Amino acid sequence: MTETDRTPPPSPLATVVASVVGGVLGVDPPPPDAHFFALGGDSLAALEVTALLQEDLGVEVPLELIFDFPVLADLAGELASLTGGTVS
């Protein structure tokens, strides 16, 4: 069994986060362990990501979440607590 075989697929919420971040930063959707700022994110991109996530998820997404949880899997986990784990 390889490492890839043991890695669970990303949650639907993690997929949304990766898609939004990739779109804003102009990169392919990054893996869950990617760091927003290492991908080239900055404060203006963070503002755009939070606005798009709010639109996609239908909940308020505080800008601070990206700074507090820059690893995408961690950000998705925090968003899950705001959304009850669902993607609208």
Side-chain angles (χ1 to χ4, degrees):
M1 183 178 266
T2 66
E3 178 75 22
T4 304
D5 294 335
R6 289 185 289 224
T7 304
S11 69
L13 193 50
T15 301
V16 168
V17 169
S19 178
V20 168
V21 168
V24 169
L25 299 181
V27 299
D28 288 334
D33 63 347
H35 191 286
F36 178 76
F37 297 104
L39 292 169
D42 57 22
S43 58
L44 292 177
L47 190 60
E48 187 174 352
V49 166
T50 56
L52 291 170
L53 288 172
Q54 284 181 173
E55 187 177 303
D56 288 351
L57 302 176
V59 297
E60 183 177 346
V61 178
L63 178 61
E64 297 82 25
L65 280 186
I66 292 185
F67 292 93
D68 292 342
F69 303 97
V71 174
L72 302 188
D74 297 340
L75 177 59
E78 281 300 304
L79 291 171
S81 70
L82 293 175
T83 65
T86 61
V87 177
S88 52

